[in-house]
Amino acid sequence: MEVIIAQNAQEIAVIAADLIERQLLHKPNSVLGLATGSTPVGTYRELIRRHKEKGLDFSKVTTFNLDEYVGLPPTHSQSYRYFMEENLFKHINVPPANIHVPYGHADSVLDFCAWYEEEIKRAGGIDLQILGIGRDGHIAFNEPGSSLGSRTRLKTLTEETIKDNARFFQSMDEVPRFAITMGVGTILEARKILLLASGEQKAQIIAEAIEGPITSQVTASALQLHRDVVVIVDEAAGARLKRADYYRWVYNQKRRLIPTLLGQSN
Ligand code: F6R
């Protein structure tokens, strides 16, 4: 794992966008795995800026989102599909036919999930997966206790996640209880993974996920098994990392000696 401690959320966005841009220059038809939530919004903004100002091209890109609430139509202002349209898709030139967001209104969730897994395979697998992390350590909606080998499926959200999400809805009752989510096993098959976290409310769980034991109680800890993960946190989210000085030292050495290698894992 490479751990980068950025000064603030703005710097996270720039470093993450650099890595994504490098991926697209290296492979214009990359398959990107995308997350919703507050964390990646700055990165998406930076990508949009680069698309508009520097012509960063998404015309050959294919995307797969991690998750979607069950029961919300894609037009609902709190659906993840809507979120992605507003925060990224409508501002860049990714072809609509190449966009995949789990469909929360599928007649058969089971069939849909199997189809989604097949579509990822048909696209050649995910080249670069962007992740946030929940306060309970979830990646996508893989709540504590999810199998570390899990695949795309229906998941019941925890009370903590429902409470965290309530800020986006008028009342608690409106917050969906179920989601379709890629599994931990699905995520681990991505060739490269970028985990982003900012703010002090993420400090404890980031320390557990990166430096604690690998456990299904903190599904993000499964990322320790992956050979190419870059974690980008700000000072606040990295505040409880025991080996923070070492991570800074590694990053500075790389930046000084081999800038083109930045982003490659240890
Ligand atoms: C969103 C997702 C979730 C979020 C996580 C953090 O697609 O899969 O795992 O990444 O809940 O959310 P924020 O960024 O809002 O703190």
Side-chain angles (χ1 to χ4, degrees), residues 183-245:
V184 180
T186 320
I187 292 169
L188 289 178
E189 279 172 11
R191 292 184 189 91
K192 187 178 186 81
I193 296 177
L194 214 50
L195 174 68
L196 313 178
S198 64
E200 62 182 345
Q201 73 283 6
K202 299 287 173 70
Q204 181 57 31
I205 202 63
I206 276 290
E208 287 177 38
I210 294 170
E211 295 177 338
I214 297 173
T215 166
S216 62
Q217 298 309 307
V218 178
T219 54
S221 67
L223 298 176
Q224 294 176 32
L225 293 167
H226 193 280
R227 57 191 286 274
D228 195 354
V229 176
V230 181
V231 181
I232 314 176
V233 295
D234 62 6
E235 292 284 352
R240 299 210 181 157
L241 288 168
K242 289 199 182 73
R243 290 164 63 77
D245 288 344

Side-chain angles (χ1 to χ4, degrees), residues 35-40 66-67 80 132-134 138-141 167 202:
T36 57
S38 351
T39 312
L66 287 168
D67 40 19
Y80 283 178
I133 182 171
H138 67 229
I139 45 174
F141 272 134
R167 65 189 195 274
K202 299 287 173 70

Side-chain angles (χ1 to χ4, degrees), residues 16-26 47 50 54 56 128:
D18 282 350
L19 290 170
I20 298 163
E21 179 172 350
R22 189 168 310 144
Q23 171 69 37
L24 297 188
L25 294 179
H26 164 73
L47 291 174
R50 292 178 193 203
K54 293 177 23 181
L56 181 61
L128 177 60

Side-chain angles (χ1 to χ4, degrees), residues 28-130:
N29 63 342
S30 287
V31 179
L32 298 181
L34 301 176
T36 57
S38 351
T39 312
V41 169
T43 302
Y44 295 155
R45 224 175 271 143
E46 181 61 19
L47 291 174
I48 293 165
R49 189 189 68 75
R50 292 178 193 203
H51 168 68
K52 297 211 157 119
E53 292 175 14
K54 293 177 23 181
L56 181 61
D57 183 26
F58 293 85
S59 65
K60 298 189 176 68
V61 166
T62 297
T63 67
F64 286 91
N65 262 80
L66 287 168
D67 40 19
E68 176 62 288
Y69 291 124
V70 168
L72 296 191
T75 47
H76 190 288
S77 64
Q78 295 308 328
S79 76
Y80 283 178
R81 173 71 198 215
Y82 187 88
F83 174 99
M84 289 306 300
E85 288 295 333
E86 291 301 308
N87 288 287
L88 185 64
F89 297 149
K90 76 178 191 192
H91 306 286
I92 58 174
N93 63 336
V94 60
N98 293 4
I99 292 171
H100 305 80
V101 181
Y103 184 57
H105 261 209
D107 289 338
S108 162
V109 172
L110 212 63
D111 289 348
F112 178 84
C113 292
W115 175 83
Y116 205 66
E117 289 273 334
E118 276 308 309
E119 278 299 285
I120 294 173
K121 276 200 199 108
R122 250 194 298 274
I126 292 172
D127 291 302
L128 177 60
Q129 175 67 59
I130 297 160

